[in-house]
Amino acid sequence: MGSETETTRGGYYWYALILSRSYYALLVIGAIIVLNLGLVAIQVCGYLFWDWGDGFSAPTKGFEATGTPIYSRLTALRNFHESELLVNQPSRNGIDNNGLLRKRRQANDSFLATMSPPTENYGIPTTTTKTMDGIQICQFAPLGYFAKLVFQASDGSDLFNVDTIKSMCRADEQLIRSHPKFSKSCYRCPFGLDTINDCPASWSLGTYVALINNKTSCNDITDVDVLQTRLLLHRCAPHYRLWYNETFCSHPSCRYEYSPDECLQYEAVHNIFHFLATIDFLSKLEANYTSELEFVIHIVPLELHTRDDDLVSIYMDNFHGKTYSDQYVTLKAIDFQIKFDLFDIFLFSDVLYIGIGMFFVVLILLSYTRSILITLAAIVNFELSLLMAHFFYFLIFRRAFFPFVNIVAAVLVIGVGADDTFVYVDLWRKSLSENKGADLHVIVQKTLHHATVTMLVTSLTTAGSLYSSIISDITAVKCFGLFAGTAIMMNFVLTLTLLPAVIVIQYRLVSFLETNCSGCCHRKDRCLKLVRKFFDICLRPFRKFFESILPLLILKLRYIWLILFGALGIGGALVVFKYPSLRLPTNSEFQILENDNYLEQWDRTYKNIFRSSEDSEVRMSGYILFGIKPTETSDAWDPDDTGSLVLDDSFAFYNEEHQQWLLQFCEDLQQQEFYYSGGFDDCFIESMIEFMKQPCIDPFTGGDLSPCCNNNAFPYDEFLFRTCFKACVAHGYCWSGVRFHNESDELVAIHINYQSSTYVSFDFNIMQNYWMDTNNWMEKQLETAPESLQNGWIISRGQEQLYFYDLQNSLATGAPFALAITLVIVFFILVVTILNIILAFYAILTVAFAVFVTVASLVLLGWELNIFESVILILSVGLCVDFTIHYGVAYRLADLAISRRQKTEFSIETMTGAISVAALSAFLAGVFMLAANINAYLQLGLFLTLVMSVSWVYSTFFFQSLCRIMGPEGRWGDLTSLQCCNPCKSNEISDSPERSLNGQTNPTFNHDEDTSF
């Protein structure tokens, strides 16, 4: 009696006693409903009156690595350029003998007024159109800013023949020009068209063949015309190469000075090579004029980014969900630059597939629980978990940015919440069957005793794996970990409050109806019995499988499962970490839609094979700064917060040592391999030396520049430097490399710009080599710098290349580290909650193998380690751990006096049904998401189907085999006992009768222990 009192008078007893009272249960339900309504009201008011961020309208926001040296320097550089604290020139400009500066400015203005204004086209003819009978084309339009179609020959052969060219013209008419939106949104040339209401011809192979051969239409060209055009391109190919040779041709007009007229006609040669044909076509055509053209771009007169609504309409009507192909050509890709517009459309339309998956989860819940009340409670649990997490995220944690990836938490909560519901209902039914006639609070107590432990462990491990991602450098990943982890913990709290209260109310309601309506519902009872019998007959094969066949398969073939799945786990680890390993993203474009979508095909496959889209013709621009600290003052949780400019208080530049060191620094810079000598640089100290060497009589004004003239004695003493430096700036020699404080006029920053010999690229290795070369050189230079200049730093900007490299580097180092940290955290939580080191080790080994197999499968399917994939990688640990923990807790809570075989059988009997149904519900939710258009939904659906299958198999077969072969008996590995790992203890209890959790004999497994293989 003493022990029973001790076990029944704890926290479970009092909580169960409260819940077993109907009015308390109703009070709990009412409080949760009021809380739900209150949170809904808060969320509605928040969306109406507060700014919640734009993570959904800008889905790539937050997809950069913060807190890294590169990000800090790029942010400091941006603040440097945008700061109003810094000015190019001081208000007091040093020497000004007799109004010298005013006279110089007047002289400069007069000189500039006599010069003719530069032409924007550098001598290129200004005619913008070429009109023939039936063909109107804008000759010098910026073709890179128009919509594009990419074609390939249907049989994979040469596109440069009359049939394929005509076929592309027909496709243009059918797919683009026939749409009602085209005529009103097409690009009109700025001037030169006689019929302004007509849309110009597309810039295509067919248009240029027709123009070159004086044909009125693409449909009129012949084989001879195509051959003549091919020969023309062959003759003009060497000239095209010279046009883009920096040594020979430094500006666009040079090609009009040195090239034959036939190569300049209609800009056809230039546009075909530069915009329409693939990069390799030029080299192949030079070698052999009959070379094949595999892919070609067809540019249509629809401007990108200015007619997005019309482009969306054309895409949705003529391209979405369709393929275009005829006898001659196949459409391979399109470039409309509308992916983010489509994202806004599909983001909500694809919720339908999540809704269908949710419907089947609810249907499974209803079928398994056989209760509308419990199913409704589960739905409220899902919804309220997300609402409470949202409330904590914004109002408690004060996070202003809510990224798109946070929607994954909804699917996670549904999966974990359904799993907890199945487990609790299963344990409730087991307590009812084993404690017939007991008081209600006893039944509730025994259910809570087991359910609380198993759900606490799974919730803590899942939430812990999510919270561990807060250490990530990537803002979106940090935000997801915080929001999803909070949602999981809210789900745990609600499962232990709302669900037990609803079950108690239902139990009392059913008992009341059975007692008071036993004589008035005979016909209804008969119908219910028939329905119940029907379901029993239908479910009998499944029940037999889970209660008899599956346990026998696990226990009889335990060594086979252990070896098989152990080998698969090791193989998965090799795939993930060795070969082919997790690949870094090779494309900087964020994937919005499915892989085979025309828009994604352009970004991922075809964009880089055309010359007009490659970045290799642009060089990286380098920046070196002194006087500005690359200190990150921004909020790492808010991508819109760029912080503020931080000045280096130790910076000073005036004395001779500073001057001499900076001159040597600039000379060393110009000797480096990463420095492009043909580019620009603005090392102001070199300009200062030139300024000091000029004659004392100003050539513009005749004024006296003394003492800042005729001086070759570098370095200058500090007084002379201070006197002449501001004059150098004021006269336009030194202004580009210095910044002054707008109030004190003190020199506060020096910046040196240079052009690099490295071309911009999204290739990880190229950018890594460039970053390491420049940064290592800078650090070596600073070792000899004067103390006031030792905080200088170097950075580069070339579109988004360094941001992307920084992201790649953070993913490459952060994702495996986060995975390892997550597994360590999960193991620690398992040890603390299960209190058995052996079971915790088996569980973490099972989880690790399941994660490795899951991630390896994704790697073999071609996944790259991008932002969403890194979130899923963290998520895999949280989802793989649940089923294993349920089994482990059931094994741990089994009677200490029974053998490991009996403990394993008890664990299988208690948990397999609920775990299998939970896995099936999440699996089906993932299956329906595979029909979505948004790539994130597709990936999440594939991940759910895969992780549910793998985690169920590993927890059921591998973990249970481990427990059956080497599972702890008695108090082996028990952290609460001093007799852990005592082998003698197992011999004393191995022959004890098999018992269930409450001490009763387990009726399900009565066969003798099988010791055979």
Side-chain angles (χ1 to χ4, degrees), residues 136 177 182-184 186-188 193 196-201 301:
Q136 295 176 326
R177 295 177 180 272
F182 175 77
S183 59
K184 74 170 188 176
C186 70
Y187 173 79
R188 265 80 173 182
L193 278 183
I196 195 65
N197 292 325
D198 292 338
C199 295

Side-chain angles (χ1 to χ4, degrees), residues 150 333-335 598-604 606-607 613:
V150 179
I334 61 176
D335 176 27
Y598 283 140
L599 297 168
E600 292 294 350
Q601 282 295 304
W602 167 257
D603 284 336
R604 301 183 66 82
Y606 296 98
K607 177 180 179 179
S613 301

Side-chain angles (χ1 to χ4, degrees), residues 356-368:
I356 294 174
M358 180 65 182
F359 170 76
F360 276 90
V361 171
V362 171
L363 195 62
I364 293 173
L365 271 169
L366 185 61
S367 302
Y368 191 80

Side-chain angles (χ1 to χ4, degrees), residues 105-132:
R105 292 192 190 101
Q106 292 175 351
N108 284 338
D109 294 341
S110 301
F111 174 74
L112 293 174
T114 61
M115 297 177 61
S116 60
T119 58
E120 293 183 358
N121 55 2
Y122 299 97
I124 298 174
T126 57
T127 303
T128 59
T129 62
K130 175 64 183 177
T131 304
M132 294 189 61

Side-chain angles (χ1 to χ4, degrees), residues 207-248:
T207 298
Y208 286 119
V209 171
L211 284 173
I212 290 171
N213 294 279
N214 296 319
K215 296 297 174 69
T216 60
S217 168
C218 169
N219 295 321
D220 298 333
I221 62 176
T222 64
D223 288 324
V224 175
D225 297 332
V226 174
L227 179 60
Q228 292 294 336
T229 305
R230 184 188 283 271
L231 291 172
L232 174 65
L233 292 174
H234 177 69
R235 293 194 298 271
C236 295
H239 294 280
Y240 175 83
R241 284 200 181 276
L242 290 177
W243 296 342
Y244 286 93
N245 186 311
E246 295 177 345
T247 304
F248 176 79

